Amino acid sequence: MTTNSPVPRDLAGLVQQQLDGLASQNFAWQGQIWPGQQMRWEIGKDLDDSRSGEGDAAQRWQTRLKLSLPLLGDIDVALNLRPGGQVGIALTAQSEASEARLREESKALRTQFEAAGLNLTELQVARGQAAE
């Protein structure tokens, strides 16, 4: 920031970080969503580099949540928003029991998306280590 900036000198670094974040079109937050419950949340264009060859990657937005739930354990949720209002969800659980429970409830999730007028085109449930 220049010396003629309307931003106070002690805030210039913070303001520059915020401007850089807006320019990258990515956002990440990590903290407590309620006492003792940690969460990491990311929003951005094409956060999943492994799918970058799909052609519509430049127009795809993704949000990812990573959290540890009392009944399901560690869960990674990636929600992709594609052109035409298409939505894709990938759920990754670390335990077999959690994967089974998510699969059991996937039909209810599809029904809720349809009721909300959302086009859920893909719903994947897997077990394994969540992507970093």
Side-chain angles (χ1 to χ4, degrees), residues 19-84:
L19 291 172
D20 291 344
L22 289 172
S24 74
Q25 297 185 344
N26 289 321
F27 169 80
W29 178 84
Q30 185 169 342
Q32 287 193 7
I33 53 174
W34 54 81
Q37 177 62 58
Q38 292 292 319
M39 180 180 82
R40 177 164 174 77
W41 180 27
E42 300 173 64
I43 301 173
K45 280 191 174 182
D46 197 26
L47 295 174
D48 185 359
D49 292 334
S50 68
R51 295 180 162 205
S52 60
E54 288 185 5
D56 66 348
Q59 297 178 8
R60 184 177 60 231
W61 284 86
Q62 183 180 72
T63 186
R64 176 176 281 150
L65 296 173
K66 295 179 183 192
L67 61 163
S68 182
L69 299 171
L71 297 177
L72 294 174
D74 293 340
I75 302 294
D76 181 38
V77 180
L79 187 131
N80 293 290
L81 305 174
R82 298 183 183 108

Side-chain angles (χ1 to χ4, degrees), residues 43-129:
I43 301 173
K45 280 191 174 182
D46 197 26
L47 295 174
D48 185 359
D49 292 334
S50 68
R51 295 180 162 205
S52 60
E54 288 185 5
D56 66 348
Q59 297 178 8
R60 184 177 60 231
W61 284 86
Q62 183 180 72
T63 186
R64 176 176 281 150
L65 296 173
K66 295 179 183 192
L67 61 163
S68 182
L69 299 171
L71 297 177
L72 294 174
D74 293 340
I75 302 294
D76 181 38
V77 180
L79 187 131
N80 293 290
L81 305 174
R82 298 183 183 108
Q86 297 179 355
V87 178
I89 299 176
L91 302 166
T92 305
Q94 287 191 348
S95 76
E96 188 174 338
S98 295
E99 176 193 15
R101 187 161 187 179
L102 289 170
R103 286 188 189 281
E104 289 170 10
E105 298 299 327
S106 64
K107 184 175 181 180
L109 182 61
R110 283 188 182 277
T111 301
Q112 291 172 347
F113 264 70
E114 288 173 12
L118 299 170
N119 185 12
L120 183 59
T121 58
E122 180 180 17
L123 178 57
Q124 299 176 0
V125 178
R127 182 171 46 106
Q129 195 67 14

